[in-house]
Amino acid sequence: MEQSEFIYGYYFNQQSQSDKITSLNALDKNRPYWLHFDYTLDVTEQWLTQESQLNPVVINALLSDETRPRATTLNGGVLLSLRGVNLAPNSDPQDMVSIRIWFTKENIISTRSRTLLSTKDIATDFDNGCGPKTSSEFITLITDNLIIRMGQTIYEIEEKISEIEENVLTSSSYDLRNELSDLRRQIISLRRYLSPQREAMAQLFSDKITLFSNEEKIQLRETSDHLTRYIEDLDSIKDRAIVYQEELNNKLAEQMNNRMFVLSVVAAIFLPLGFLTGLLGINVGGIPGTENTNAFGIFILILIAVVILQVWLFKKKKWF
């Protein structure tokens, strides 16, 4: 088979030397290895179902389109599903990329559909002769890479909420409300996967999984602490977004109330004027002033007096 039928393939080497797998047909299953596939390819399904000798549950998980972060022990191995932010050009970071991993004490088989920079970094390390030496070291490294890359995205979200905060204090705009809604949607999308991912990380360094050394468990715990801090930051940003959105809604509602108040005052002033002009404009006999040449001027003065009286009355009642 050609190299294009899998993405990355390396043997774990204690001497830290690159030992690349060139062909699935030539794969030496007696040596610890890492194989990384695109699960959307037919060749991946064919190799997993016919040649990998994996449990059907594991195969289905590695080929699944939708997956939630988890860590499940099964027959001496661990089925791990993780998410990382999408840092591809012209993509939304909250549209998180998933990776499915089956690892034992010796081997790792992973699958994905979209490019994940964390696996690309590990492959580069292998090529440079400084890749992980064991499967447990690989898991420790990739979890750390995934979490570290989330930091920049969360920092950008925090910077954006700070900018919105300043704009809310200085101006009121319906565009700001849309920005806050988009920001809350991003936070919800990230939070949706980070919470179960924290649980999956906690499973990795629990006593139920014995594939890691004490040092690796300490490192996994540190990575999990970083993830917990990011989740807390997202919760804090979400709370700030809610407060700013309420403040913005109050300011917009106040603006609307002021405008409606002005219109109400204008309508209240012109209502009696309209009544008087309409009353004197009816086409029936007996309208006063029809024979008086000064009647129009007198009527205008009456209307002015009515307006003055209304303004005095509104001010007295403190309506404006």
Side-chain angles (χ1 to χ4, degrees):
M1 293 184 181
E2 297 179 357
Q3 175 71 27
S4 60
E5 292 173 332
F6 60 92
I7 304 171
Y8 305 121
Y10 297 92
Y11 292 108
F12 292 111
N13 195 320
Q14 295 295 331
Q15 283 72 39
S16 298
Q17 297 175 353
S18 175
D19 203 354
K20 202 168 188 177
I21 300 173
T22 58
S23 172
L24 289 176
N25 283 334
L27 175 65
D28 185 358
K29 293 185 179 181
N30 294 320
R31 300 178 60 186
Y33 61 84
W34 168 45
L35 284 174
H36 187 54
F37 294 92
D38 183 346
Y39 70 82
T40 61
L41 299 179
D42 293 335
V43 66
T44 301
E45 181 177 1
Q46 179 183 350
W47 187 85
L48 287 175
T49 55
Q50 298 179 10
E51 302 181 36
S52 66
Q53 299 178 348
L54 294 177
N55 189 299
V57 174
V58 176
I59 296 174
N60 290 334
L62 292 175
L63 296 175
S64 174
D65 287 329
E66 294 295 331
T67 182
R68 184 175 182 268
R70 62 171 178 168
T72 306
T73 57
L74 182 66
N75 298 332
V78 178
L79 183 58
L80 182 63
S81 176
L82 299 173
R83 292 264 178 168
V85 293
N86 190 354
L87 298 179
N90 302 322
S91 63
D92 294 329
Q94 69 270 15
D95 182 20
M96 304 187 76
V97 181
S98 63
I99 180 172
R100 303 139 181 84
I101 302 173
W102 166 254
F103 72 97
T104 61
K105 191 174 182 61
E106 294 82 19
N107 305 323
I108 290 182
I109 298 175
S110 58
T111 62
R112 60 80 169 161
S113 62
R114 290 178 291 177
T115 301
L116 195 62
L117 296 181
S118 296
T119 54
K120 187 176 181 180
D121 289 346
I122 295 178
T124 301
D125 290 341
F126 271 113
D127 291 334
N128 294 332
C130 56
K133 303 178 182 64
T134 63
S135 63
S136 58
E137 185 180 346
F138 176 97
I139 297 299
T140 303
L141 183 60
I142 194 170
T143 52
D144 188 53
N145 288 348
L146 287 172
I147 303 306
I148 286 177
R149 279 196 162 86
M150 296 177 185
Q152 181 62 30
T153 298
I154 295 175
Y155 174 77
E156 291 174 358
I157 293 176
E158 191 167 8
E159 285 293 306
K160 190 172 182 180
I161 192 66
S162 297
E163 181 181 346
I164 291 176
E165 176 185 12
E166 183 178 353
N167 292 334
V168 168
L169 294 176
T170 56
S171 64
S172 300
S173 171
Y174 287 97
D175 292 337
L176 287 177
R177 188 162 62 179
N178 294 334
E179 289 182 23
L180 280 169
S181 298
D182 291 340
L183 193 64
R184 291 181 64 185
R185 178 179 57 82
Q186 294 178 25
I187 295 171
I188 291 171
S189 298
L190 288 172
R191 189 71 166 75
R192 174 187 175 189
Y193 293 109
L194 294 189
S195 291
Q197 187 144 313
R198 176 175 55 182
E199 298 174 7
M201 291 292 300
Q203 289 291 328
L204 287 179
F205 56 80
S206 67
D207 295 334
K208 293 191 299 183
I209 298 178
T210 59
L211 300 177
F212 300 98
S213 65
N214 290 332
E215 285 188 8
E216 289 168 341
K217 284 193 174 185
I218 292 174
Q219 188 171 348
L220 287 171
R221 188 175 287 108
E222 288 297 318
T223 302
S224 181
D225 288 342
H226 281 113
L227 179 58
T228 300
R229 188 188 67 188
Y230 291 151
I231 293 174
E232 292 173 350
D233 289 344
L234 284 176
D235 290 338
S236 175
I237 296 171
K238 182 179 69 173
D239 293 339
R240 289 170 61 188
I242 292 174
V243 171
Y244 300 151
Q245 193 163 34
E246 291 177 352
E247 177 67 20
L248 180 61
N249 288 338
N250 290 336
K251 293 183 71 174
L252 292 175
E254 185 177 357
Q255 287 181 358
M256 181 63 69
N257 290 337
N258 290 336
R259 292 166 184 168
M260 293 301 298
F261 175 74
V262 171
L263 292 176
S264 299
V265 170
V266 172
I269 290 176
F270 281 92
L271 182 63
L273 303 184
F275 171 75
L276 292 176
T277 55
L279 181 65
L280 295 179
I282 58 178
N283 191 20
V284 296
I287 299 300
T290 55
E291 304 297 332
N292 189 345
T293 58
N294 298 321
F296 179 75
I298 295 172
F299 182 66
I300 293 299
L301 293 176
I302 292 174
L303 294 181
I304 293 174
V306 170
V307 171
I308 294 173
L309 178 63
Q310 285 181 290
V311 172
W312 174 82
L313 182 63
F314 289 167
K315 284 185 174 293
K316 183 178 181 180
K317 292 184 174 292
K318 297 181 179 180
W319 289 357
F320 67 83

